[in-house]
C-alpha cells in the first residue's frame, strides 16, 4: 500500500482505540495485513535503481498522508496518538529504506526480506494502477468511516 493509505489506516485505528498499548501494535500489524491485499504503491512499477525518483515520490506520499491526517484529526484530543498510529502503520516501510540503499545491517535486511515475502506469499499482491489504487481507496474509506463516526 502507499504510505498515505498505511498512515490513514493506522490513524483510524489509533483514533478509535485510545489505548496506545493496543492501538500501536494493531496499527503496526495492519501494515502487513493490508500489504497482502492487492495494491499499487511507489515500488510497484519503480526503477529500483533510481533512488532520487523513489525518494521524491515516497516523500510526497508520506506528506500527503500526514496532511490528510492533520485535516481530519487535528482537533482530536488524541492527535499525538493518531500520528503515532499512522507512523506505526508505516514503520516497516521506513525500516526498508536502509536495505534499499544497500546498507548491510541484519535487522533492516530481515525486514526487507519479510516485507517481500508478505507481498509474494501465495500470490504477488502488487497490482498496477488504477485497480491497485481502487483497492486501497476502499480500505481507507472503510477505516475512516469507522474512525470518524
Amino acid at each position: 500500500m502507499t504510505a498515505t493509505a498505511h498512515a490513514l489506516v493506522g490513524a483510524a485505528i489509533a483514533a478509535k482505540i485510545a489505548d496506545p498499548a493496543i492501538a500501536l501494535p494493531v496499527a503496526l500489524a495492519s501494515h502487513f495485513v493490508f500489504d497482502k491485499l492487492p495494491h499499487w504503491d511507489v515500488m510497484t512499477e519503480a526503477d529500483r535503481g533510481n533512488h532520487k525518483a523513489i525518494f521524491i515520490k515516497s516523500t510526497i506520499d508520506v506528506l500527503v498522508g500526514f496532511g490528510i491526517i492533520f485535516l481530519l484529526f487535528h482537533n482530536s484530543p488524541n492527535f499525538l496518538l493518531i500520528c503515532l498510529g499512522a507512523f506505526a502503520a508505516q514503520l516497516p516501510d521506513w525500516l526498508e529504506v536502509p536495505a534499499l540503499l544497500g546498507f548491510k545491517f541484519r535487522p533492516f535486511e530481515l525486514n526487507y526480506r519479510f516485507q517481500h515475502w508478505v507481498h509474494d506469499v501465495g500470490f504477488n499482491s502488487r497490482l498496477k494502477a488504477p485497480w491497485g489504487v481502487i483497492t486501497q481507496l476502499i480500505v481507507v474509506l472503510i477505516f475512516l468511516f469507522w474512525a470518524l463516526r
Side-chain angles (χ1 to χ4, degrees):
M1 291 179 79
T2 62
T4 296
H6 281 305
L8 291 171
V9 168
I13 290 167
K16 204 63 173 177
I17 304 172
D19 182 351
I22 298 170
L24 298 179
V26 170
L28 177 64
S30 77
H31 181 96
F32 301 106
V33 171
F34 292 115
D35 259 3
K36 194 57 204 161
L37 291 177
H39 67 280
W40 176 90
D41 60 29
V42 170
M43 297 303 287
T44 300
E45 301 170 78
D47 171 7
R48 292 178 190 255
N50 190 345
H51 296 290
K52 183 178 179 181
I54 291 169
F55 177 79
I56 290 169
K57 290 176 185 176
S58 297
T59 301
I60 291 168
D61 186 12
V62 168
L63 292 175
V64 166
F66 278 95
I68 294 170
I69 288 166
F70 179 79
L71 291 173
L72 294 175
F73 297 105
H74 72 278
N75 287 328
S76 171
N78 291 331
F79 185 65
L80 178 59
L81 177 60
I82 290 167
C83 288
L84 290 172
F87 181 74
Q90 292 178 340
L91 185 59
D93 286 343
W94 286 95
L95 295 176
E96 225 180 332
V97 172
L100 287 170
L101 296 175
F103 289 99
K104 302 292 183 199
F105 185 57
R106 189 148 175 81
F108 295 134
E109 291 174 2
L110 290 173
N111 175 66
Y112 180 80
R113 281 193 228 137
F114 181 70
Q115 290 244 72
H116 284 271
W117 177 80
V118 168
H119 280 102
D120 296 334
V121 67
F123 63 93
N124 183 342
S125 62
R126 295 196 190 273
L127 190 63
K128 292 187 179 186
W131 302 112
V133 175
I134 292 169
T135 59
Q136 291 178 83
L137 187 57
I138 292 167
V139 168
V140 166
L141 289 175
I142 289 168
F143 270 81
L144 288 178
F145 177 75
W146 171 63
L148 295 170
R149 59 181 205 102

